[in-house]
Amino acid sequence: MADTGEFVRDARYITDRITADAPPGGPTGERIGEMVWPVQPGRYRLAAARACPWAHRTVIVRRLLGLEGVISLALAAPTHDERSWTFDLDPGGVDPVLGIHRLQQAYFARVPDYPLGITVPAVVDVPTGAVVTNDFARITLDFSSQWRAHQRPGAPDLYPEAHRDEIDEVSRRVYTEVNNGVYRCGFATSQDAYDAAYERLWTALDWLEERLATRRYLVGDTITEADVRLYPTLVRFDAVYHGHFKCNRQKIAELPVLWAYLRDLFQTPGFGDTTDFVQIKQHYYIVHTGINPTQVVPRGPDLAGFLTPHGRESLGGRPWGDGTPPGPVPSGERVPAGHNPLSGTDAG
Amino acid sequence: MADTGEFVRDARYITDRITADAPPGGPTGERIGEMVWPVQPGRYRLAAARACPWAHRTVIVRRLLGLEGVISLALAAPTHDERSWTFDLDPGGVDPVLGIHRLQQAYFARVPDYPLGITVPAVVDVPTGAVVTNDFARITLDFSSQWRAHQRPGAPDLYPEAHRDEIDEVSRRVYTEVNNGVYRCGFATSQDAYDAAYERLWTALDWLEERLATRRYLVGDTITEADVRLYPTLVRFDAVYHGHFKCNRQKIAELPVLWAYLRDLFQTPGFGDTTDFVQIKQHYYIVHTGINPTQVVPRGPDLAGFLTPHGRESLGGRPWGDGTPPGPVPSGERVPAGHNPLSGTDAG
């Protein structure tokens, strides 16, 4: 937190990569953060949390690409203490594959007394129980590019060569102004810092409202990484950021274009069916005692509108490009009934 | 605050009355709380605050009835400390008529070391500087019934004999379930107490949404005390109660009937022109550090919608009954430009 009351995100990560051409065995390299690990089905476990927007990206991409069978999934509980995310949702409070209660233990297995944030998403090497990478911005891109040989038939190309520059450009603005912009509003501790953050956020949302008025997706005419990165913030907006983070010029439900775009994605396999509003709300309202000292979790908003027709088909677009939609969510990974408007239905 | 985490309002007040048939001079009576004071133009000063919904009622009724020339108005600043509302907005921080900085001094002038809440509205006897009554539920009814001889020509009958039972019945439910219901949500300190409060509130708002679908006003076909009592809560809802008090199933702007009803009243002289969103937001977000420790005041919501056509004329109704609307706001009492969507315009 800077002296001006502005929120500044700690952006230091373990930046090893898992690549298709890395030598088997491994890892290879001189220093943590610069090592490469080989793509290898069944070797890695993705530690995520339904609550976390940065982790949500990875869960969406893993499902869209059909990597569920080759990269397993550990889901941390929505609330955590100062030290770590924990596996409180698992029997005995222990992740059944990694055998740990605190995600911190996987960080310590890699770097003893690891001093930085214990964040999700993190990819963990199952044999050693050590974190390979928590570089959220890279994990999804590597799922797309490095794991091709193990993706499902019909997996979409979320990071197509022809559009990478534009995806990167849009994603950069979405990251600094929207994904992080909501936190800049919510964690501001001075009125001036908040006011400036609010202006930045709404400038960006107005830009998106205009950009998406004439195109179904952010870049090109298919779902790409750019949409995956915007969605976790948009879907949390009315439930959390609007009130808890004071991003309250309008609800997304009051912005016709973004609301239709959000419903379109929500109703697309991989998006709504990986969204858990109960855990999302618990996380923010219970963990951030500096903003919500009572830890009371709001009952609203009413979410029924998420299932209403969005009409975005009229803009054209080919959601999956030359690919196909993913099949049903594996039974062990379904969002619990009642945790989103789809869950408990066939589509959930 | 009860042990269950439920918010319980302290409802003990100084309940003297000012009546048309009280002996001149006065007050008359045995005990504070049971005394009567005579109606007398120029004798009393209404201490209010733009921020406070309970005081807002009295400011609306005073204006609708044209009592500005006979009961003067002291406006406390939006924020206050534990002890008292203060006159920080006045030159030197002192009310020019009462000559006091803290409203507490007017309470002490009546009851030394007055131990209960220093609340607005309070009617103060100017010669002695002492509080006559802070019984907010009675003050407006007495403005209507006891001050008739001094009301403006064309003053509406806000508490008509023929509808008093229905006004009382509706007002009772509005008071317990809505006016106070939002506080019960916001000040709950346990999840169970909040959940119960939220259910009660929305049950009542659903009832109002249905009731007002076929009638322009709450009771009869004219503006009455019942509308005056609902308005201050509705107009604060999206700006404060939705986020700050977690009353977030929907915004009022998402409920078609209540939103049109609210805009209708807002655009009616006496309602919107006495509404100060800047002071309202400052009050709640800065004073309640137990809910909002950063004291940052949200920039939203966008208020432009308040001036859009409401279409409620099609339900019929005669806003003023046999009376007429009030004239312009006296120049010394206008809400500052920029503090609501009307202010700074001819209608403000």
Side-chain angles (χ1 to χ4, degrees):
Chain A
M1 198 72 68
D3 286 334
T4 57
E6 186 189 354
F7 170 70
V8 179
R9 182 171 294 280
D10 182 347
R12 293 169 295 169
Y13 294 95
I14 298 174
T15 52
D16 284 6
R17 292 182 60 189
I18 298 166
T19 63
D21 57 3
T28 317
E30 301 279 316
R31 294 199 307 201
I32 289 176
E34 296 170 4
M35 302 174 93
V36 292
W37 301 63
V39 161
Q40 190 179 319
R43 175 167 181 172
Y44 304 102
R45 188 158 174 84
L46 172 63
R50 294 285 188 208
C52 172
W54 316 99
H56 196 173
R57 301 179 176 188
T58 62
V59 174
I60 293 169
V61 169
R62 171 176 171 273
R63 170 153 160 67
L64 295 182
L65 301 179
L67 294 172
E68 294 100 325
V70 292
I71 301 170
S72 66
L73 180 65
L75 287 173
T79 61
H80 57 75
D81 56 32
E82 291 291 306
R83 287 159 55 203
S84 179
W85 295 85
T86 60
F87 294 103
D88 283 332
L89 298 177
D90 290 296
V94 171
D95 178 73
V97 172
L98 299 175
I100 58 177
H101 171 58
R102 296 181 169 279
L103 181 59
Q104 191 182 46
Q105 296 169 260
Y107 279 79
F108 285 177
R110 188 71 198 281
V111 180
D113 300 321
Y114 180 76
L116 305 176
I118 306 302
T119 60
V120 288
V123 178
V124 180
D125 178 47
V126 173
T128 59
V131 170
V132 172
T133 172
N134 68 336
D135 184 3
F136 70 96
R138 169 58 58 184
I139 290 170
T140 49
L141 298 182
D142 283 347
F143 281 179
S144 280
S145 59
Q146 304 300 320
W147 289 79
R148 274 191 205 284
H150 304 281
Q151 294 170 7
R152 68 177 171 88
D157 188 353
L158 299 173
Y159 197 47
E161 291 278 1
H163 292 296
R164 286 191 181 181
D165 287 350
E166 193 177 353
I167 292 171
D168 289 349
E169 187 190 334
V170 167
S171 296
R172 198 174 304 118
R173 186 166 177 186
V174 165
Y175 172 63
T176 62
E177 307 304 296
V178 181
N179 299 146
N180 213 19
V182 294
Y183 284 86
R184 200 182 293 115
C185 290
F187 287 158
T189 56
S190 75
Q191 189 69 44
D192 284 351
Y194 163 78
D195 287 346
Y198 178 97
E199 287 299 325
R200 277 181 70 173
L201 172 67
W202 285 100
T203 297
L205 290 172
D206 285 341
W207 158 66
L208 290 167
E209 179 80 2
E210 188 181 335
R211 181 177 179 97
L212 289 163
T214 52
R215 49 170 84 213
R216 187 159 174 197
Y217 302 110
L218 276 172
V219 177
D221 66 348
T222 65
I223 295 169
T224 68
E225 177 79 18
D227 302 297
V228 170
R229 291 182 177 206
L230 177 55
Y231 173 81
T233 298
L234 284 189
V235 83
R236 283 160 178 73
F237 200 93
D238 293 353
V240 173
Y241 305 140
H242 180 86
H244 186 62
F245 279 178
K246 302 190 173 82
C247 302
N248 69 340
R249 196 187 78 184
Q250 280 98 10
K251 293 171 71 168
I252 297 300
E254 295 176 284
L255 300 172
V257 172
L258 277 172
W259 178 222
Y261 168 82
L262 174 58
R263 273 141 59 218
D264 187 2
L265 289 182
F266 184 85
Q267 295 168 26
T268 298
F271 291 86
D273 58 26
T274 57
T275 301
D276 186 324
F277 287 105
V278 171
Q279 292 195 25
I280 287 169
K281 292 200 293 184
Q282 287 176 340
H283 170 67
Y284 286 93
Y285 282 98
I286 294 176
V287 170
H288 300 154
T289 52
I291 304 177
N292 185 42
T294 67
Q295 299 183 300
V296 167
V297 181
R299 291 279 290 274
D302 180 32
L303 301 169
F306 272 98
L307 299 184
T308 58
H310 54 77
R312 299 275 296 175
E313 305 87 348
S314 66
L315 293 171
R318 304 176 306 135
W320 308 105
D322 300 325
T324 57
V329 180
S331 61
E333 297 188 0
R334 294 198 174 191
V335 171
H339 286 216
N340 78 35
L342 290 166
S343 56
T345 71
D346 284 347
Chain B
M1 197 74 68
D3 286 333
T4 57
E6 184 190 353
F7 169 70
V8 179
R9 181 171 295 281
D10 182 346
R12 294 169 295 170
Y13 294 95
I14 298 175
T15 53
D16 284 6
R17 292 182 61 191
I18 299 166
T19 62
D21 57 4
T28 316
E30 301 279 316
R31 295 197 308 202
I32 289 176
E34 297 170 5
M35 301 174 93
V36 292
W37 301 62
V39 161
Q40 190 179 321
R43 175 167 179 170
Y44 305 101
R45 190 159 175 82
L46 172 63
R50 296 286 189 207
C52 172
W54 316 100
H56 196 173
R57 300 178 175 188
T58 62
V59 174
I60 292 169
V61 170
R62 171 176 171 272
R63 169 152 160 67
L64 295 182
L65 301 179
L67 293 173
E68 294 101 325
V70 292
I71 302 170
S72 67
L73 181 65
L75 288 172
T79 61
H80 57 75
D81 56 31
E82 290 291 307
R83 287 161 54 205
S84 178
W85 295 84
T86 60
F87 294 103
D88 282 333
L89 297 177
D90 291 294
V94 171
D95 178 73
V97 171
L98 299 175
I100 58 177
H101 171 59
R102 296 180 169 279
L103 181 59
Q104 191 182 46
Q105 296 169 261
Y107 279 80
F108 285 178
R110 187 70 198 281
V111 180
D113 300 320
Y114 181 76
L116 305 176
I118 306 301
T119 61
V120 288
V123 178
V124 180
D125 178 47
V126 173
T128 59
V131 169
V132 172
T133 171
N134 68 337
D135 184 2
F136 69 97
R138 169 58 59 183
I139 290 170
T140 48
L141 298 182
D142 283 348
F143 282 179
S144 281
S145 60
Q146 304 300 320
W147 290 79
R148 274 192 205 283
H150 303 283
Q151 294 169 7
R152 69 175 170 88
D157 187 353
L158 298 174
Y159 196 49
E161 290 278 1
H163 291 297
R164 285 190 181 182
D165 287 350
E166 194 177 354
I167 291 170
D168 289 349
E169 187 190 334
V170 168
S171 296
R172 197 175 304 118
R173 186 165 177 186
V174 165
Y175 171 63
T176 63
E177 305 306 296
V178 182
N179 299 147
N180 212 19
V182 294
Y183 284 86
R184 200 181 294 114
C185 290
F187 287 158
T189 56
S190 76
Q191 189 69 44
D192 285 350
Y194 163 79
D195 287 346
Y198 177 97
E199 287 299 325
R200 277 181 71 173
L201 172 66
W202 285 100
T203 297
L205 290 172
D206 285 342
W207 158 65
L208 290 168
E209 180 80 0
E210 188 181 336
R211 180 177 180 96
L212 289 164
T214 52
R215 49 171 83 212
R216 188 160 174 196
Y217 301 110
L218 276 172
V219 177
D221 66 349
T222 65
I223 294 170
T224 69
E225 178 80 16
D227 302 297
V228 169
R229 291 181 177 206
L230 178 55
Y231 173 81
T233 298
L234 284 190
V235 82
R236 283 159 178 73
F237 200 92
D238 293 354
V240 173
Y241 304 140
H242 181 86
H244 186 63
F245 278 178
K246 302 189 174 81
C247 302
N248 68 340
R249 196 187 78 184
Q250 281 98 9
K251 293 171 71 169
I252 298 299
E254 295 177 283
L255 301 172
V257 173
L258 277 172
W259 177 221
Y261 168 80
L262 174 57
R263 273 140 60 217
D264 187 2
L265 289 181
F266 184 85
Q267 295 168 26
T268 298
F271 292 86
D273 58 26
T274 57
T275 302
D276 186 324
F277 287 105
V278 171
Q279 292 195 25
I280 287 169
K281 291 200 295 185
Q282 287 176 337
H283 170 68
Y284 286 93
Y285 283 97
I286 293 175
V287 170
H288 300 153
T289 52
I291 304 177
N292 185 43
T294 66
Q295 299 184 302
V296 168
V297 181
R299 290 279 291 274
D302 180 30
L303 301 170
F306 271 98
L307 298 186
T308 57
H310 53 76
R312 299 276 296 174
E313 304 87 348
S314 65
L315 294 171
R318 305 176 305 138
W320 308 105
D322 299 325
T324 57
V329 181
S331 61
E333 297 188 359
R334 293 195 175 193
V335 171
H339 286 214
N340 78 36
L342 290 165
S343 55
T345 70
D346 285 346

